[in-house]
Amino acid sequence: MARVDVERTENGFVARNDRGAEVVMGSGDEQGVFTPVELLLAALGGCNIVTVEPLTAKRGHRLVRLAMAVQAEKVEPTLLGPITVTYDVELPEGDDTADEVFRAVARRVEERYCTVSRALREQTEVRLELPE
């Protein structure tokens, strides 16, 4: 089970996990913070890239560079349009099959193994529990 606690602090909003990591959140007008939408995009990109990297390396194709950009525009004030994940990779020199392996792994990860991708695509139910 995954859990993140989010709270308002004197300095804004903070999300924390049980391993001690923190992410500061705020509005798009504030410097040095992520917006909740940016965190959603980061979660999608992170889920994909941290799964693609070990799978390509395990197949003997350690990529020289592995990065990505994840972007979306709001089509309504509270609705995102399609999310685009764009990889930026540098293949190892002399490795004729690295590109083919990377592309196959990246597609498979996005379609089947990235929990965040699947949650977005399959519209995971969100349940709201309010104090009584």
Side-chain angles (χ1 to χ4, degrees), residues 47-119:
C47 182
N48 275 276
I49 206 166
V50 302
T51 309
V52 165
E53 199 286 324
L55 291 176
T56 54
K58 182 179 178 181
R59 286 160 178 74
H61 305 282
R62 175 97 169 130
L63 303 173
V64 176
R65 175 173 169 71
L66 178 59
M68 65 171 43
V70 185
Q71 60 187 18
E73 291 189 27
K74 287 188 176 181
V75 294
E76 293 180 19
T78 59
L79 181 65
L80 288 179
I83 298 172
T84 303
V85 176
T86 306
Y87 274 92
D88 178 10
V89 299
E90 182 180 340
L91 303 170
E93 286 188 39
D95 186 342
D96 296 335
T97 60
D99 184 59
E100 180 182 331
V101 169
F102 160 70
R103 290 174 184 279
V105 168
R107 284 187 183 101
R108 193 167 42 254
V109 165
E110 198 289 320
E111 292 170 359
R112 292 190 292 211
Y113 299 113
C114 174
T115 305
V116 178
S117 289
R118 293 193 65 201

